[in-house]
């Protein structure tokens, strides 16, 4: 069933912190795994370990939901699954459109986890006329000229952008103008949106760069303070001992 476009999850009105909201899917994933194994109850320590957080933080997060568990018993798994699903708005059907059906967009369309988590891929959209009518994951691709009509007909409030960077902002603007109020952005660019529109960015290259930083530190290759960096370009002090922009460091320039 299509949802009203102005419907918002209850979390904001109840004052649940954004950091807690960001951890709720982690708890839900761990709880779902327990439920599938028919585990009836779980302690805060066990659930925290499965979700990758500390138990004190978990108990604080659950206090915002009004769930405190039972001493000596723990938390009821099925009830917590329902409670967190309700807070995240997953007890209803959220129609989603994916715009940009290249390799990444096609992979997202084929992802089997949408339906089981409260999301329905309502449409796949691409600007390439040759793609129109081509089925991907059993859904025929529709041309970008139909974007506004597709959003309106399906009551879509969540859009996924997996286009090249150069096209992402224009697609974003059209989605917002059509009534989309939440966007998941896979394009390697920062989107500008008006107030009232939420954007979550997934940038694989940034995540890999962060991992590279940690790998460098583990290998002991990070540059220690005061040591010259052999990979850095040569520099020389500016004439006259001029100050840099911050007023206290000597300005330098490439030799």
């Amino acid at each position: 069933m299509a949802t009203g476009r102005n419907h918002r999850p209850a979390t904001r009105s109840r004052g649940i912190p954004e950091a807690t909201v960001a951890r709720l899917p982690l708890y839900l994933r761990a709880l779902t795994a327990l439920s599938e194994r028919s585990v009836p109850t779980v302690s805060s320590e066990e659930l925290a370990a499965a979700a990758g957080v500390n138990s004190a933080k978990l108990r604080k997060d659950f206090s915002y939901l009004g769930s405190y568990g039972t001493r000596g018993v723990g938390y009821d798994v099925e009830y917590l699954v329902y409670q967190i699903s309700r807070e995240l708005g997953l007890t209803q059907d959220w129609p989603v459109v994916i715009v940009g059906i290249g390799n990444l967009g096609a992979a997202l369309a084929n992802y089997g986890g949408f339906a089981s988590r409260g999301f329905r891929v309502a449409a796949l959209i691409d600007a390439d006329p040759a793609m129109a009518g081509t089925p991907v994951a059993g859904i025929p691709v529709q041309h970008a000229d139909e974007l506004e009509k597709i959003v309106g007909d399906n009551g879509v409030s969540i859009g996924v952008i997996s286009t090249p960077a150069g096209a992402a902002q224009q697609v974003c603007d059209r989605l917002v103008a059509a009534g989309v109020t939440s966007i998941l952005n896979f394009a390697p660019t920062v989107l500008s949106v008006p107030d009232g529109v939420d954007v979550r960015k997934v940038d694989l290259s940034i995540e890999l760069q962060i991992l590279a930083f940690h790998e460098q530190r583990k290998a002991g290759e990070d540059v220690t303070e005061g040591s010259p960096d052999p990979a850095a370009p040569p520099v020389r002090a500016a004439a006259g001992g001029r100050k840099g922009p911050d007023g206290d460091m000597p300005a330098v320039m490439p030799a």
Side-chain angles (χ1 to χ4, degrees):
M1 59 181 171
T3 60
R5 193 170 296 144
N6 293 325
H7 177 84
R8 307 298 292 174
T11 51
R12 291 185 180 181
S13 63
R14 290 181 52 169
I16 299 178
E18 286 294 326
T20 295
V21 174
R23 287 189 290 270
L24 292 182
L26 303 179
Y27 302 139
L28 182 58
R29 181 174 60 189
L31 286 162
T32 300
L34 292 171
S35 176
E36 290 172 350
R37 288 163 30 211
S38 300
V39 176
T41 60
V42 62
S43 69
S44 58
E45 289 79 11
E46 291 168 333
L47 183 54
V53 303
N54 67 63
S55 57
K57 185 173 292 183
L58 178 144
R59 287 190 292 270
K60 179 67 172 177
D61 288 341
F62 283 2
S63 72
Y64 291 110
L65 307 181
S67 185
Y68 298 93
T70 303
R71 183 179 296 276
V73 176
Y75 294 93
D76 182 284
V77 170
E78 292 299 332
Y79 180 68
L80 268 185
V81 167
Y82 165 75
Q83 196 174 24
I84 295 176
S85 296
R86 183 188 61 190
E87 289 297 333
L88 290 173
L90 304 182
T91 55
Q92 56 190 311
D93 179 39
W94 291 100
V96 174
V97 295
I98 301 175
V99 186
I101 313 302
N103 290 334
L104 177 56
L108 293 172
N110 279 283
Y111 172 57
F114 283 124
S116 64
R117 288 167 173 81
F119 303 95
R120 171 176 56 87
V121 178
L124 306 177
I125 303 173
D126 198 272
D128 183 358
M131 289 286 293
T134 302
V136 176
I139 304 172
V141 176
Q142 301 181 65
H143 192 266
D145 288 348
E146 303 295 317
L147 184 150
E148 288 79 7
K149 183 177 186 302
I150 293 167
V151 169
D153 288 350
N154 291 278
V156 173
S157 58
I158 300 176
V160 178
I161 297 177
S162 52
T163 66
Q169 185 63 58
Q170 182 184 24
V171 167
C172 175
D173 292 342
R174 291 181 63 190
L175 287 171
V176 171
V180 169
T181 51
S182 292
I183 292 173
L184 180 61
N185 178 32
F186 284 88
T189 187
V190 176
L191 298 176
S192 176
V193 297
D195 290 341
V197 176
D198 295 312
V199 176
R200 299 287 296 182
K201 180 169 175 55
V202 180
D203 193 318
L204 302 180
S205 65
I206 287 178
E207 299 303 324
L208 286 171
Q209 289 168 28
I210 292 171
L211 289 175
F213 167 81
H214 290 294
E215 284 301 310
Q216 176 178 262
R217 288 183 67 88
K218 284 186 285 188
E221 295 175 357
D222 52 307
V223 179
T224 57
E225 185 177 355
S227 300
D229 183 354
V235 295
R236 63 181 176 83
R242 284 187 296 140
K243 300 293 184 181
D246 56 8
D248 59 0
M249 296 292 291
V252 295
M253 63 182 67

